[in-house]
Amino acid sequence: MYFKVVRLYANFVAAMCGRSKQQRREIRAGIYESTFGKLLTQFGVHANAPSVSLQNEYFPKNVIKSKRLMVIVVPEGNFMSGGIFSMFSIANQMRRLKGDHGYEVIMMTRPMKNGSTYFRNSHFRNSENVFRFEQLVHCDSVQDVYIHLPEYLAETFYDDLSDNERSWLSNRETVRINLLNQNIQLMPEAEDFQSLYNLTPNVTQSVAHHSYFGQEFSDKYGLPTLLLPAYTDLSEFPGSDFCMKEKLIIYSPDEEASHRQECLDLLRKELPDFKLVEIRDIPFEEYMDLATRCMFSISFGEGFDGYVAQPIYQGGLGMTVFNKEFFPDEDYAKFPVFFESEKEMLQELVPTIRRLMKDPAEFRQVNRELLSRYEELYSFEEYVQQIRKLALKEFEVFPGAPVQLKKSA
C-alpha cells in the first residue's frame, strides 16, 4: 500500500510540474530514489540499490548508440560543493553546444570498487541524471571518448578502473582525458598522474582560476592548458542594498583552517548582535537566500571562491585571507575585506566589520569596486566561449618542454 501511495504521489507531482515527458520521468525518478532509498536502507538493503536500479532503467539509448561520447566524472556522493556545481554547469552547456562538437554528453560517478554512486543531485536545481562509470562498457558503438576528470582523481583514476573498463577504453579509436583543475592545491604533481598515459597520450587540463593559468603551469604539468573560469548564473536572485541587510554573517565549512574557530569565537564575543550561520549541507537556493540577506560572509578556504563572491554579487561583502594562489593579482590585497595573513584577520576582522557597518557609503563603495573587478573577469558569453573551446580541443597554452620527472630511488 505504501508503495502505491508513493507512486501516486510521484505521478501527481510529475503531472503538475513536468513540462515534458522527460521532465516528468526525472521528477518521478527523484521521488522514488529519495523515498525508497531511505526505506530500503532501514531494511538492510544496500543504500545504492535504488540508484543502481534507476541508472540501469534510464541509461540513455542515444549514449549506447553514440560514436562520440563526452563523459564528465563526478564524485560518488550526493553532496554540494563549488566544484561539483561547476561540473554540472559544464555538462549543461556542453549538451547545448552539441551542434558544435558532436558529442553525446553524460555524467558519471567515478569508478568505485565498493559501488558507491547516486542518480540525482538534490542540492541544486538541475536536470542531470548521473550514471555509473562501469556502464560505459555497454557502449560498443563509441569510437571517440572524451573524459573530464576532477583534478584530485588524476592520481588514482587508472588504478580504480576495473579490467573491463580498461579493456573497453583500450578498444576505442580515440581516448582523451581532460583534468578539470579547479583547485591547484588538489592538483597532483605531474609525476603522480603518469598512469593516465597508459590510457591515452591525449591528456590536457582546463583551469578555473586566472592565478594559475599561463605558460608556467602548462610547463609544470606538461599539459596543453585552457582557462575555464567558473561561472554561476545569479540572474534569478535579486541583490539587496545595505539598508536591507540583516545582522547576519555566513561562513564556509572549511574546518581545517587554523584561525577558523578563533575567528568565530571572537565574532560571537565582540558582535553578539550578529547571527552566525555556517554554510553546510543546504540546497543552493537556501544558500543564495542567506547570501542575499547577509551583511558579511567569510571564507576560511581558498578565499577567491563562492563564499566571498556570491554575497558580493548580492550586495554584501565577503572577507577572507588574501591567497595569491587563487586571487588573480596582488591588487585585490588592497581591499579592506581581504587580510594579509591569518594573524591580521584575527586583529582586524571585528574593527573592519564595525567600521563598514557604521559607514554605509564606504560599505557600498567597497562592494561596487569589488563587483566591478569580478565582472571584468567573468561573463556568461566568455564562459560559453571557453566551454566551446574545451569541447573542440582548442587549448590556449602548450608546454614548452617535457616535464622532467623524478627518478625513482
Side-chain angles (χ1 to χ4, degrees), residues 29-30 32-38 40-41 45-59 76-78 109 115-121 129-132 134-135:
Y32 293 156
E33 180 178 27
S34 174
T35 305
F36 296 144
K38 294 175 183 177
L40 290 171
T41 300
V45 179
H46 196 285
N48 289 324
S51 293
V52 169
S53 177
L54 290 165
Q55 289 169 337
N56 291 341
E57 180 178 356
Y58 289 106
F59 195 78
E76 67 281 5
N78 177 12
T109 51
S116 295
T117 190
Y118 72 102
F119 185 60
R120 295 302 300 270
N121 194 303
N129 293 336
V130 181
F131 298 91
R132 306 186 307 283
E134 67 185 47
Q135 291 178 280

Side-chain angles (χ1 to χ4, degrees), residues 315-338:
L317 289 175
M319 313 181 84
T320 191
V321 173
F322 176 82
N323 186 336
K324 65 181 180 180
E325 285 190 313
F326 293 100
F327 278 81
D329 58 65
E330 297 283 345
D331 284 348
Y332 282 84
K334 73 178 184 181
F335 287 94
V337 290
F338 301 142

Side-chain angles (χ1 to χ4, degrees), residues 64 66-69 136-147 164-176 199-200 202:
I64 294 176
S66 67
K67 293 185 177 181
R68 307 187 76 202
L69 182 61
L136 279 180
V137 300
H138 303 300
C139 305
D140 290 332
S141 297
V142 172
Q143 299 172 2
D144 178 349
V145 60
Y146 191 4
I147 301 171
N164 282 344
E165 291 158 356
R166 290 180 191 171
S167 176
W168 184 87
L169 289 168
S170 69
N171 285 311
R172 301 312 103 193
E173 291 182 12
T174 305
V175 176
R176 295 179 173 87
L199 301 172
T200 176
N202 304 310

Side-chain angles (χ1 to χ4, degrees), residues 176-190:
R176 295 179 173 87
I177 297 176
N178 181 68
L179 303 181
L180 298 168
N181 186 352
Q182 299 178 320
N183 185 332
I184 196 170
Q185 294 177 346
L186 300 179
M187 180 75 173
E189 297 298 326

